[in-house]
Amino acid sequence: HALKKPSDVASSNDVKLNKISSLLTEDKARGGAQAMLYAVGLTEEDMHKAQIGIASLWWEGNPCNVHLLDLAKKVKEGCEAEGLLGLTFNTIGVSDGMTMGTEGMSYSLPSRDIIADSIETVVMAQHYDGNICIPSCDKNMPGCAIAAARHNRPTIMIYGGTIQAGRRHLDCPSMGFKKGDTVNIADAFESWGAYTTSKISEEERMDVVRHACPGAGSCGGMYTANTMSSCLEALGLSLPYSSSISATDPAKLQECYRAASYMKNLLAKDIKPRDILSRKSFDNAIALTCILGGSTNAVLHLLAIARAADIPLTVDDFQAIADRTPYLADLRPSGKYMMEDLNKVGGVPAVLKYLLKNTNLIHGDTLTVTGKTLAENLQDVPELDFQSQDVVRPLDDPIKSTGHICILRGSLAPDSAVAKITGKEGLRFEGSAKCFDVEADFYKSLKAGEITAGTVVIFRYQGPKGGPGMPEMLGPTGAIMGAGLGDKTCLITDGRFSGASRGFIIGHVTPEAQLGGPIALVEDGDKILVDAQTRKIEWLVDDATKEARRDKWRQMGERPLKFKRGVLFRYTRDVAPANVGAYCD
């Protein structure tokens, strides 16, 4: 994936590249600031260079992020080669995969806002001329993008890269797998359901767990991290191929090194995030999400990024785009391929070029961090070859003729809910509710055989305020798939689903239970109907029953918040509903 170095970079003699940092480095009244910069190793020559804040989201405890400090060092080398001054700083991260099903999951979505706040704070306070962000885990990408829209300094995103697929070391005949087959993090979650229902042995379960994640990189299917990295590329905030190059591919280090030359171009031309982010670029990102079968978390995050950039965007815009956009990529969790497989057949640029050439789904005139338009970036990209690959299907043979993202409304979700309907799990489900206010109770119920065909599993008090933080339900969806109930049950929550979740799943139900939404009033045995074709989600009890339940809920009094101090208290207090992006500012 050869990426041309920008050929039209203005000479640093033509324009002042350090117009922001020079307020600290060149003003004689700022001697204190200059003294402190000398203390960290800057020279007199460095004082006249543009300063680039390199925001590394590195931390050791997560495969998504463990390698990012090495990538940051390569970005810094590139800055030095281009006559820029790269200054590395860090921010936080939370592993969704590791915290799934625990109280730690409540910190995941709030970490998006902490990341945004942290990067905005450092870039603005330290007077950096530009910002190169290196995100990798789920909330990293939207956090960095929100920060970019806020500080609005020239910015480039470098995705840390996808993990490579693991390999099974044992045959697993009961599940149809053999030694050498690929395995990934979603299989690790689904293995518990298979084990607890005696479909696999402990040795087979451990084989999956031990080999699902072979090294550095973000979860390898079209899960939330790869969905959001693809969105960043479609938005124009990252370089071509950034979203699909794997974490351990030497091309990722090359991308890091070359980023500084593009940053110099952005500085020279004064191209900022708000010049790149537009309604057209968000349309591109939503369309690509539908094409690739991306995570429903894209709805939540793109709404929040758009708001940070003051671009009008609503959940209904997702439905309008999904209605005209086919689902083409056969990627996990619902398909068979991984992100590294998409990269082998041309990556996101090849998909975008195919859509630009053959549909009206992509706007080619949107500006990108290369300083060129999306169409110009795609001009020399090799085209998809439908004779030699089936990772991406042609338009005349889609997996589904319309997008998999479905915005539902009805008596169970008057404001909205977000469904992930690939077509493989059906388009309509009617069944009886089984309600859980605490996720841990679900596993006991599954083990006891209480979750059966026709069950509508409802997880509530999992919303932005009730969770708090909209915990993801990958544990339950994985357990249900592993138990062989994926096509026989429906899961509904006011929380979220991981991008690795699959099955008949509906999340982001608003109003949430904590605020007295109808989902709080449902009882075991109530009939629930979900129809993706009519986009309805209905609670099938009579009005008298609904009113009696409402009175009973009111008499119980306001449900107390789970936290009285700290970051989750502040988050619960400030967070907006899911249907507008769960923003906090």
Side-chain angles (χ1 to χ4, degrees):
H1 302 319
L3 184 60
K4 294 180 180 178
K5 188 174 179 178
S7 57
D8 57 349
V9 177
S11 167
S12 59
N13 296 323
D14 298 333
V15 63
K16 188 177 181 66
L17 302 183
N18 66 330
K19 63 183 181 182
I20 303 296
S21 62
S22 64
L23 298 174
L24 295 184
T25 60
E26 296 180 355
D27 185 345
K28 290 182 172 58
R30 304 296 175 204
Q34 294 154 23
M36 298 184 83
L37 288 169
Y38 285 127
V40 298
L42 270 64
T43 65
E44 283 80 0
E45 182 183 1
D46 291 334
M47 291 293 183
H48 303 290
K49 295 177 180 177
Q51 293 187 5
I52 309 303
I54 303 170
S56 163
L57 279 77
W58 165 84
W59 57 288
E60 284 186 317
N62 188 25
C64 308
N65 303 76
V66 67
H67 62 303
L68 299 188
L69 190 58
D70 293 331
L71 299 188
K73 291 175 180 177
K74 187 59 68 172
V75 172
K76 189 177 178 75
E77 286 181 27
C79 287
E80 184 177 356
E82 292 294 333
L84 305 174
L85 183 64
L87 296 169
T88 305
F89 65 95
N90 224 70
T91 183
I92 63 121
V94 169
S95 169
D96 288 23
M98 294 173 67
T99 60
M100 199 72 65
T102 74
E103 291 183 355
M105 230 291 132
S106 282
Y107 289 87
S108 172
L109 186 56
S111 77
R112 181 191 75 181
D113 298 86
I114 296 171
I115 290 166
D117 293 347
S118 300
I119 295 173
E120 176 194 1
T121 297
V122 174
V123 170
M124 296 298 288
Q126 297 305 122
H127 285 66
Y128 290 147
D129 300 290
N131 179 207
I132 298 178
C133 290
I134 313 175
S136 201
C137 199
D138 296 8
K139 308 308 172 293
N140 295 181
M141 278 70 72
C144 291
I146 290 169
R150 290 182 189 168
H151 64 59
N152 203 33
R153 303 276 166 82
T155 298
I156 295 175
M157 308 284 175
I158 300 175
Y159 180 44
T162 186
I163 197 171
Q164 293 182 328
R167 296 286 171 179
R168 293 175 183 267
H169 287 210
L170 296 174
D171 292 333
C172 187
S174 65
M175 301 296 287
F177 298 113
K178 61 183 184 298
K179 180 179 178 180
D181 285 349
T182 61
V183 64
N184 74 96
I185 187 65
D187 299 310
F189 279 98
E190 293 181 9
S191 67
W192 187 89
Y195 172 73
T196 199
T197 54
S198 302
K199 292 182 179 295
I200 62 174
S201 67
E202 169 59 16
E203 187 181 17
E204 290 168 333
R205 185 195 73 84
M206 193 60 199
D207 180 55
V208 172
V209 172
R210 182 65 185 84
H211 301 112
C213 298
S218 300
C219 300
M222 189 46 62
Y223 310 147
T224 302
N226 284 326
T227 298
M228 293 314 301
S229 68
S230 300
C231 285
L232 290 183
E233 193 167 326
L235 286 169
L237 292 175
S238 63
L239 296 171
Y241 300 105
S242 182
S243 63
S244 55
I245 299 173
S246 68
T248 55
D249 189 325
K252 183 56 67 177
L253 289 174
Q254 295 169 11
E255 177 191 351
C256 291
Y257 186 81
R258 293 174 180 175
S261 63
Y262 291 92
M263 173 54 69
K264 193 171 184 178
N265 189 45
L266 294 178
L267 291 169
K269 295 182 175 180
D270 196 29
I271 297 175
K272 300 182 289 293
R274 289 188 178 220
D275 299 318
I276 293 171
L277 295 172
S278 66
R279 178 53 198 268
K280 286 184 177 181
S281 68
F282 277 92
D283 286 353
N284 288 347
I286 297 169
L288 182 64
T289 298
C290 292
I291 291 287
L292 298 179
S295 168
T296 53
N297 283 316
V299 178
L300 195 74
H301 297 321
L302 289 173
L303 287 171
I305 298 168
R307 181 182 179 277
D310 293 320
I311 294 170
L313 190 69
T314 72
V315 290
D316 294 318
D317 295 320
F318 286 81
Q319 186 63 63
I321 292 173
D323 285 345
R324 62 176 185 260
T325 307
Y327 169 29
L328 300 180
D330 193 18
L331 298 169
R332 296 289 302 263
S334 297
K336 62 181 178 180
Y337 291 109
M338 307 293 282
M339 190 63 161
E340 63 176 330
D341 297 310
L342 179 62
N343 190 55
K344 291 172 185 175
V345 302
V348 164
V351 176
L352 289 172
K353 183 170 185 175
Y354 176 63
L355 298 175
L356 185 64
K357 184 177 179 180
N358 297 283
T359 74
N360 62 355
L361 298 172
I362 298 296
H363 303 282
D365 59 347
T366 56
L367 189 60
T368 74
V369 292
T370 65
K372 299 179 179 180
T373 65
L374 182 65
E376 289 172 327
N377 289 345
L378 300 175
Q379 189 171 359
D380 296 328
V381 168
E383 297 192 15
L384 286 169
D385 182 357
F386 295 107
Q387 301 301 315
S388 62
Q389 63 83 31
D390 61 353
V391 179
V392 181
R393 293 191 184 184
L395 289 161
D396 60 3
D397 183 28
I399 296 170
K400 185 171 178 280
S401 60
T402 57
H404 65 300
I405 289 177
C406 185
I407 307 301
L408 305 171
R409 286 187 174 86
S411 54
L412 188 60
D415 290 344
S416 69
V418 180
K420 183 178 184 179
I421 307 293
T422 67
K424 297 179 180 180
E425 58 286 290
L427 298 174
R428 187 180 188 277
F429 194 98
E430 185 172 355
S432 300
K434 179 71 174 175
C435 303
F436 299 94
D437 295 352
V438 178
E439 183 180 334
D441 293 341
F442 160 80
Y443 297 101
K444 302 172 189 175
S445 186
L446 179 66
K447 193 168 185 178
E450 297 171 357
I451 309 299
T452 58
T455 301
V456 178
V457 181
I458 292 183
F459 292 99
R460 59 192 178 192
Y461 294 100
Q462 307 297 316
K465 292 183 181 293
M470 296 186 76
E472 292 181 345
M473 299 288 120
L474 178 56
T477 59
I480 280 180
M481 293 302 299
L485 292 168
D487 59 347
K488 304 176 182 69
T489 57
C490 172
L491 278 76
I492 300 175
T493 181
D494 53 2
R496 298 178 294 133
F497 287 105
S498 165
S501 292
R502 58 193 177 116
F504 208 105
I505 55 177
I506 298 97
H508 307 203
V509 169
T510 54
E512 63 172 295
Q514 183 72 30
L515 299 179
I519 193 171
L521 313 180
V522 179
E523 294 183 0
D524 288 357
D526 288 354
K527 296 296 183 183
I528 304 294
L529 170 65
V530 179
D531 191 324
Q533 291 182 306
T534 61
R535 299 200 287 275
K536 292 293 185 181
I537 180 167
E538 302 292 357
W539 175 31
L540 302 178
V541 299
D542 58 56
D543 291 342
T545 300
K546 290 177 183 177
E547 191 55 39
R549 301 268 185 89
R550 172 69 62 193
D551 289 341
K552 179 181 176 181
W553 189 87
R554 291 194 190 103
Q555 290 169 13
M556 292 172 63
E558 185 175 343
R559 190 180 178 99
L561 299 180
K562 293 180 181 177
F563 295 89
K564 307 299 182 184
R565 292 286 185 273
V567 65
L568 291 183
F569 168 72
R570 292 198 306 272
Y571 185 84
T572 304
R573 179 192 65 196
D574 297 340
V575 68
N579 63 321
V580 293
Y583 57 81
C584 288
D585 64 340

